[in-house]
């Protein structure tokens, strides 16, 4: 079957000329192809299959991001501004240039899919991004996840950044100045990202998120790894949290409009979504608990990554034989209750989510500004057996700013900017534990989504401001003594444990883990932030 070619918004020779400056010559270019066109190309190239309801299902060689294969070019712009170490590994302009040259040679004469898209719903903070990709399904993925320009905007499109993603190109490890066949190189001076040796589409999304996390603070904008929604009265809530804490689920509330499920910016005027779509985990997805997200897994245009497809092309969302990290990538318009435009007012509530597998943290507690900064920098949750190979018991995870792999700057810089925004807005701050109660993993019970929603409903409505609070002894957290719709003993962790000695031991252990993690930040934050968790020093 011959796939018809559409007229490109820009003359093909103009696009080819722009790409030729990057060394990309003689490629067969598909410029801003539509969803049906991308389906046709993906099927022709054997990239995936169509499943029940119409999604395109694909299987990837890598089933997650490769943060340790990510490098940032160290030059005059980044030398003193990037927090080097951890996930921010330096490379040189020469390494970047050589890899770009090799990737351009590889791409010569091949089919390439080009999408012109925006990152940032607030036009004042927006990046124009040109994605140049080897795989049709990647082109569909970014079209789903980013903001789609109008035809008029496409006609005048000039990219601020270019992403070149060639999964079929395998880097040569140390010979190419990288660690493996996979490489993600970010060059802030040349405004270009190279992605090689991985089919996992999430690298497209998070590479641009990392760019926004670097450039927006220079404009006084707080970039955030969080979900956001807005109530009927215009009250905005932010939900920070790592994978598995319920960020996507809890922000999808039928009583509130979804602004976005993952990446946002906070200006003096309010909050805006970076994206035009969602990238939801769908392992064990329930049509009863998450009907709108479940519906996306049976909708034309959705990209499903590593979801098991039965022989009759129906989905087995409970099958984790490929990975626990099964995903659905879809335009936000598939969520009926989304906020058109993706821009809202100033937040009135900030929620930090954690899934404490030790059963120690309260289901909900109120934080001071210093406590918020401490827990934001800490970025705590816990991995449990079954989520990753080799995990036999709960393991603490501390990811600064709830997104360490995406944060080029020092966590203290983001925390201070967040504190400025919260201080100016007067937003209430909450720590919500969606993990275990009555004991740790294997002994206690997972806190029900119904109880967590009841707690959030009371918090976001402002009614908890009229409730009496008491302070728990280990983390110095304020917890409400009574909340409508939630059993009173559940509010106080110690009251749910049968063995008080075991509870105290678990609490002391978790406090020590927080202390150990925070030592690397103590010299770079205000002493009051460190002191907000007792026992430091």
């Amino acid at each position: 079957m011959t796939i018809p070619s559409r007229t490109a918004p820009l003359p093909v020779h103009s696009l080819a000329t722009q790409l030729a400056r990057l060394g990309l010559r003689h490629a067969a270019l598909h410029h801003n192809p539509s969803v049906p066109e991308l389906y046709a190309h993906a099927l022709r190239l054997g990239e995936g299959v169509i499943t029940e309801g119409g999604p395109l299902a694909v299987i990837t060689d890598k089933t997650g991001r490769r943060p340790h294969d990510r490098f940032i070019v160290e030059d005059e712009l980044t030398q003193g501004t990037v927090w080097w170490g951890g996930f921010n590994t330096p490379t040189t302009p020469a390494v970047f240039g050589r890899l770009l040259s090799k990737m351009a040679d590889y791409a010569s004469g091949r089919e390439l899919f080009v999408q012109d898209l925006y990152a940032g719903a607030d036009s004042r903070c927006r990046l124009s991004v040109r994605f140049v990709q080897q795989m049709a399904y990647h082109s569909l993925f970014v079209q789903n996840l980013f903001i789609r320009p109008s035809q008029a905007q496409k006609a005048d499109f000039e990219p601020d950044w270019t992403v070149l993603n060639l999964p079929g190109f395998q880097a040569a490890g140390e010979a190419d100045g990288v660690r493996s066949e996979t490489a993600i190189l970010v060059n802030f001076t040349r405004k270009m990202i190279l992605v090689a040796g991985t089919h996992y589409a999430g690298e497209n999304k998070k590479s641009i998120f990392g760019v926004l996390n670097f450039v927006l603070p220079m404009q006084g904008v707080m970039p955030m790894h969080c979900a956001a929604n807005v109530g009927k009265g215009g009250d905005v809530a932010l939900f920070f949290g790592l994978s598995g804490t319920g960020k996507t689920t809890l922000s999808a509330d039928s009583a509130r409009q979804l602004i976005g499920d993952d990446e946002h910016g906070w200006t003096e005027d309010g909050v805006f979504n970076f994206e035009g779509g969602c990238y939801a985990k769908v392992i064990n997805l329930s049509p009863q608990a998450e009907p709108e997200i479940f519906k996306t897994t049976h909708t034309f245009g959705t990209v499903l990554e590593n979801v098991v497809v039965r022989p009759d092309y129906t989905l087995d969302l409970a099958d984790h034989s490929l990975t626990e990290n099964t995903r659905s990538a879809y335009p936000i318009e598939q969520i009926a209750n989304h906020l058109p435009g993706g821009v809202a007012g100033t937040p009135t509530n900030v929620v930090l989510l954690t899934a404490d597998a030790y059963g120690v943290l309260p289901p909900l507690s109120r934080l001071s500004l210093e406590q918020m900064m401490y827990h934001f920098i800490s970025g705590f949750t816990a991995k449990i057996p079954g989520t990753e190979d080799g995990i036999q018991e709960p393991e603490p995870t501390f990811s600064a700013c709830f997104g360490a792999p995406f944060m080029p700057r020092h966590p203290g810089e983001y925390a201070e900017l967040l504190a400025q925004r919260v201080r100016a807005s007067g937003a209430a701050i909450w720590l919500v534990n969606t993990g275990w109660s009555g004991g740790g993993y294997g002994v206690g019970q997972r806190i029900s989504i119904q109880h967590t929603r009841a707690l959030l409903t009371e918090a976001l409505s402002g009614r908890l401001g009229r409730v009496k609070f008491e302070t728990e002894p280990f983390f110095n957290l304020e917890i409400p003594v009574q909340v409508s719709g939630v059993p009173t003993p559940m509010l106080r962790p110690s009251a749910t444990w049968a063995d008080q000695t075991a509870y105290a031991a678990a609490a002391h252990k978790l406090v020590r883990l927080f202390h150990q993690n925070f030592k690397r930040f103590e010299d770079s934050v205000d002493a009051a932030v460190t002191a907000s968790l007792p026992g430091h020093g």
Side-chain angles (χ1 to χ4, degrees):
M1 173 183 176
T2 301
I3 299 169
S5 176
R6 281 191 323 133
T7 302
L10 288 176
V12 173
H13 65 82
S14 299
L15 174 65
T17 299
Q18 189 264 335
L19 296 180
R21 298 191 198 107
L22 305 175
L24 297 167
R25 297 179 177 87
H26 310 300
L29 301 176
H30 302 282
H31 191 201
N32 291 322
S34 68
V35 173
E37 288 174 317
L38 288 170
Y39 262 68
H41 286 301
L43 295 174
R44 174 178 59 86
L45 296 169
E47 294 178 1
V49 298
I50 299 176
T51 62
E52 181 184 26
L56 179 69
V58 301
I59 297 176
T60 64
D61 57 345
K62 313 293 191 302
T63 57
R65 290 177 293 98
R66 298 286 288 262
H68 292 291
D69 285 315
R70 171 178 164 272
F71 299 82
I72 298 174
V73 173
E74 184 176 13
D75 56 19
E76 289 185 7
L77 177 61
T78 60
Q79 191 172 44
T81 49
V82 169
W83 190 46
W84 299 108
F87 294 106
N88 296 323
T89 305
T91 190
T92 67
V95 166
F96 183 94
R98 286 195 298 270
L99 193 64
L100 171 58
S101 179
K102 291 179 69 172
M103 291 176 69
D105 288 344
Y106 170 87
S108 178
R110 297 179 185 270
E111 283 187 270
L112 294 176
F113 298 89
V114 181
Q115 288 284 355
D116 296 332
L117 299 163
Y118 293 137
D122 187 330
S123 60
R124 300 170 301 175
C125 312
R126 174 176 290 168
L127 288 183
S128 299
V129 184
R130 173 161 288 161
F131 291 91
V132 183
Q133 298 163 310
Q134 182 181 1
M135 301 190 74
Y137 112 74
H138 278 196
S139 193
L140 178 57
F141 175 93
V142 295
Q143 190 176 132
N144 283 352
L145 264 292
F146 289 87
I147 296 169
R148 296 157 290 282
S150 67
Q151 288 301 316
Q153 289 170 326
K154 287 178 181 178
D156 298 325
F157 192 90
E158 289 291 336
D160 300 315
W161 277 76
T162 301
V163 178
L164 176 61
N165 190 330
L166 304 176
F169 176 84
Q170 305 283 300
E174 289 185 8
D176 279 334
V178 296
R179 292 192 173 107
S180 72
E181 78 283 355
T182 300
I184 301 99
L185 273 64
V186 183
N187 192 321
F188 283 101
T189 297
R190 295 186 65 170
K191 297 185 177 180
M192 189 172 185
I193 297 168
L194 307 179
V195 183
T198 175
H199 290 69
Y200 186 70
E203 298 289 6
N204 296 288
K205 163 187 165 70
K206 289 305 185 186
S207 62
I208 291 299
F209 184 43
V211 169
L212 291 164
N213 286 329
F214 181 77
V215 302
L216 288 182
M218 293 186 283
Q219 303 174 33
V221 178
M222 174 62 193
M224 303 173 293
H225 189 210
C226 72
N229 63 26
V230 58
K232 294 176 181 178
D235 54 302
V236 173
L238 305 179
F239 300 82
F240 292 89
L242 297 172
S243 179
T245 60
K247 176 161 59 77
T248 298
T249 300
L250 293 169
S251 60
D253 185 333
S254 60
R256 304 173 64 84
Q257 286 184 291
L258 179 69
I259 303 169
D261 79 327
D262 197 43
E263 303 171 5
H264 294 82
W266 189 347
T267 68
E268 291 182 351
D269 303 324
V271 167
F272 65 97
N273 193 357
F274 288 169
E275 301 181 293
C278 304
Y279 191 37
K281 280 188 84 168
V282 294
I283 193 71
N284 296 320
L285 189 69
S286 163
Q288 290 75 37
E290 299 172 276
E292 289 202 315
I293 299 174
F294 181 86
K295 185 179 178 182
T296 73
T297 65
H298 293 73
T299 301
F300 179 78
T302 293
V303 174
L304 298 176
E305 273 191 326
N306 300 309
V307 174
V308 171
V309 179
R310 301 185 183 101
D312 63 356
Y313 295 97
T314 60
L315 305 177
D316 188 347
L317 295 174
D319 190 329
H320 55 83
S321 57
L322 296 175
T323 178
E324 289 278 342
N325 190 32
T326 58
R327 294 276 179 170
S328 175
Y330 50 91
I332 197 169
E333 288 81 7
Q334 288 193 22
I335 302 298
N337 202 31
H338 76 281
L339 178 70
V343 179
T346 299
T348 54
N349 286 278
V350 174
V351 180
L352 309 186
L353 296 166
T354 183
D356 171 25
Y358 298 92
V360 169
L361 293 173
L364 178 139
S365 50
R366 184 170 60 188
L367 302 182
S368 68
L369 198 65
E370 291 77 18
Q371 286 175 318
M372 178 200 72
M373 294 176 71
Y374 187 101
H375 286 276
F376 176 73
I377 291 172
S378 297
F380 168 73
T381 192
K383 296 176 183 178
I384 61 172
T387 57
E388 290 185 15
D389 290 342
I391 296 180
Q392 303 300 324
E393 59 182 42
E395 289 187 6
T397 297
F398 292 94
S399 186
C401 310
F402 297 99
F406 325 122
M407 304 295 169
R409 298 176 179 274
H410 191 284
E413 188 173 344
Y414 298 111
E416 182 55 44
L417 189 50
L418 178 62
Q420 290 174 17
R421 289 281 175 260
V422 172
R423 191 181 295 114
S425 69
I429 314 159
W430 310 97
L431 178 65
V432 172
N433 174 25
T434 62
W436 273 256
S437 177
Y441 175 84
V443 177
Q445 299 292 319
R446 187 85 191 245
I447 297 169
S448 74
I449 186 69
Q450 291 81 9
H451 287 149
T452 299
R453 285 198 183 277
L455 289 165
L456 282 172
T457 296
E458 294 300 297
L460 302 188
S461 71
R463 289 190 289 270
L464 284 190
R466 301 189 291 271
V467 172
K468 182 181 178 182
F469 283 74
E470 63 183 17
T471 303
E472 62 83 41
F474 293 99
F475 285 84
N476 201 34
L477 297 171
E478 289 189 336
I479 56 179
V481 298
Q482 190 172 4
V483 177
S484 176
V486 180
T488 297
M490 180 180 287
L491 300 171
R492 188 186 306 112
S494 61
T496 64
W497 282 62
D499 186 338
Q500 292 299 300
T501 301
Y503 163 71
H508 282 299
K509 178 181 180 179
L510 188 55
V511 168
R512 286 195 302 271
L513 291 172
F514 268 87
H515 288 166
Q516 291 166 9
N517 172 71
F518 208 80
K519 285 184 182 298
R520 57 195 171 124
F521 305 116
E522 289 180 0
D523 294 338
S524 53
V525 300
D526 191 280
V529 174
T530 303
S532 68
L533 181 64
H536 275 279

